[in-house]
Amino acid sequence: VNSPTRVMTGDPSAVTVAGMYALGVRNFEVGAAFDSLVRQATVPNPAGLSDYGCPGQCAGMRPNLEAYERLHYAPQDECHCWGGAAETLEDATADYALAQWAKKLGRDDEARLFTARAGYWQNTFNPEATPEAGYQQPRLADGSWLAPFDLAGGVGFAQGTSATYTWMVQHDVHRLSALMGGDRVAAARLDAFFRTDDGSWAVTPTPDGYDPTNEPGIHIPWLYNALGRPWKTQETVRTYLDLVYGTGPAGLPGNDDLGTMSAWYVWGALGMYPQTPSRGEMLLSSPTFRTAWIKRAGGPTTKVTAPGASARSVYVRGAE
């Protein structure tokens, strides 16, 4: 079967393989895989200067890596990628994955390098993007911000807007919250993000709010946990399970993308979700089944028991 080997944006192989390792997978050449991904993240490739396939599937896995390493962000005008701000966020996520994996392998030098690079997302966060609040904003190679700033526009992002991508920092939520003004401010921004102007839940894509139909923002309901408001994660996840999923022909919100949207439903129904895609920890919401079994080939079966689970039981009173 012939198929493209290019990528929409970011370096998802680093996140995927690091996540597999974090979850206990060892039946592959661990050292060789790690070294290959480190090389991909640190040695510029000629394909990274090509616009072939852009914006949908650009040829370079780490586009214009030389500029990224020099500027500590992906410049919108020299990126050779779908969008500079999106690429910066994606690469920071991938570098965090490599840092976590390096720590597990005892690779201290790489752990330090990629831990620092995992914070590069801050370089495309403009605290003065609007008079009211800071947002992710595309940046040019000369250091200036791409102007005018359009919160609901897609320039600099991939199938999304700054409103959504600003929250794509699963690995550094507390730093993001601090830049926004603290947990209370960040939580209030989330409250508004999930609601329309009339106060109802945003169940269809809105340019300046939540899009439950596509990957850039599907982790966002779980961010309340890091902000000290787990009950809001429970309420929000359950709401979207009920409002945007169903059993009819339109039962999936958007393109399933190799099973991503279906997987989101499964995680939500189980009442747990990966905190970051490259680690093994799970964030909790409220299970929808009283009992569920997770059967793993070659491993023990995990049983999730929630005796009080029901359509009306949204909030978790205790967990063990």
Side-chain angles (χ1 to χ4, degrees), residues 77-245:
D77 50 342
E78 298 180 9
C79 181
H80 303 286
C81 64
W82 194 323
E87 186 68 34
T88 302
L89 286 158
E90 295 273 6
D91 288 349
T93 298
D95 288 338
Y96 177 81
L98 291 174
Q100 297 301 303
W101 193 6
K103 291 177 182 178
K104 293 180 176 68
L105 297 177
R107 302 283 288 265
D108 295 340
D109 291 342
E110 288 93 341
R112 284 188 290 270
L113 169 66
F114 290 110
T115 295
R117 286 176 41 156
Y120 285 2
W121 65 268
Q122 297 174 75
N123 297 322
T124 46
F125 182 88
N126 182 1
E128 299 176 349
T130 72
E132 297 78 26
Y135 288 93
Q136 282 288 323
Q137 184 171 348
R139 201 168 183 178
L140 304 179
D142 64 5
S144 63
W145 300 103
L146 182 67
F149 173 67
D150 184 0
L151 174 62
V155 177
F157 304 96
Q159 293 187 350
T161 65
S162 177
T164 292
Y165 268 89
T166 293
W167 300 103
M168 193 189 279
V169 196
Q170 302 98 304
H171 66 281
D172 207 357
V173 181
H174 294 294
R175 178 58 182 158
L176 175 64
S177 170
L179 291 176
M180 289 181 169
D183 289 356
R184 180 177 298 178
V185 173
R189 285 183 60 168
L190 276 183
D191 292 343
F193 180 72
F194 290 114
R195 302 280 184 167
T196 62
D197 292 340
D198 65 7
S200 60
W201 290 95
V203 295
T204 57
T206 55
D208 59 351
Y210 185 52
D211 179 0
T213 73
N214 209 355
E215 286 88 343
I218 58 176
H219 67 285
I220 300 177
W222 273 271
L223 296 183
Y224 281 118
N225 280 316
L227 301 177
R229 291 156 175 81
W231 63 91
K232 289 195 172 184
T233 281
Q234 296 155 23
E235 177 186 40
T236 306
V237 171
R238 183 65 69 87
T239 295
Y240 282 102
L241 288 174
D242 292 342
L243 293 182
V244 303
Y245 286 85

